[in-house]
Amino acid sequence: MKIVVIDGQGGSIGKTIIEKLKKNSFSDPIIAIGTNSIATLAMLKAGADFAATGENPILVACEDADILIGPMGILAANSLLGEITPAIAVAVGKSKAEKILIPSNKCKITVAGMHDLTLGEAINQAVQTVLNYKNEK
């Protein structure tokens, strides 16, 4: 299974996701792709097996990923303070991968019907979704 964690800015969401997956004995390789080198480094330090930085690695990874996971802003052009280019948003949206998105009010996107969760609770749910997905396959 090819799992790709995408994050930007400081990479704290991606870092936490990777740490929690590793803590839950997730054995498949985790590919971390940051929109900047700081985010990539944070995810690599968290235990990512492979890492890359920038738009093109995201575009390539979206083509054959089984799971894409990251903040909800990876679907919105110019979010994460402009780090998500229109091409990234399109590639994530068009990907056939299962998309597991962490809601965050920083992206100016509100999902109606969502319970008010802390960022930590949302990340925990996302990690559990990855683990459930792996068990189903």
Side-chain angles (χ1 to χ4, degrees), residues 80-109:
L80 280 81
L81 298 175
E83 292 183 20
I84 301 300
T85 65
I88 290 173
V90 168
V92 170
K94 285 175 60 175
S95 176
K96 295 194 183 316
E98 181 76 18
K99 295 161 198 74
I100 302 171
L101 304 172
I102 311 298
S104 171
N105 59 2
K106 291 182 180 180
C107 297
K108 299 274 189 191
I109 300 171

Side-chain angles (χ1 to χ4, degrees), residues 21-104:
L21 285 172
K22 293 291 185 173
K23 190 174 185 178
N24 280 281
S25 302
F26 187 80
S27 58
D28 291 36
I30 298 173
I31 301 166
I33 307 179
T35 58
N36 63 66
S37 59
I38 294 169
T40 304
L41 184 59
M43 293 187 285
L44 200 52
K45 285 182 177 179
D49 298 288
F50 304 98
T53 302
E55 179 183 74
N56 199 60
I58 294 172
L59 302 182
V60 171
C62 285
E63 292 175 2
D64 62 351
D66 296 302
I67 295 176
L68 294 173
I69 184 167
M72 183 169 291
I74 63 176
L75 276 175
N78 302 319
S79 65
L80 280 81
L81 298 175
E83 292 183 20
I84 301 300
T85 65
I88 290 173
V90 168
V92 170
K94 285 175 60 175
S95 176
K96 295 194 183 316
E98 181 76 18
K99 295 161 198 74
I100 302 171
L101 304 172
I102 311 298
S104 171

Side-chain angles (χ1 to χ4, degrees), residues 12-26 30 46-47 119-128 130-131:
S12 63
I13 291 174
K15 172 183 178 273
T16 304
I17 290 166
I18 292 166
E19 287 172 343
K20 288 180 180 284
L21 285 172
K22 293 291 185 173
K23 190 174 185 178
N24 280 281
S25 302
F26 187 80
I30 298 173
L119 183 58
E121 291 168 335
I123 290 172
N124 287 340
Q125 282 189 4
V127 168
Q128 190 58 53
V130 172
L131 298 171

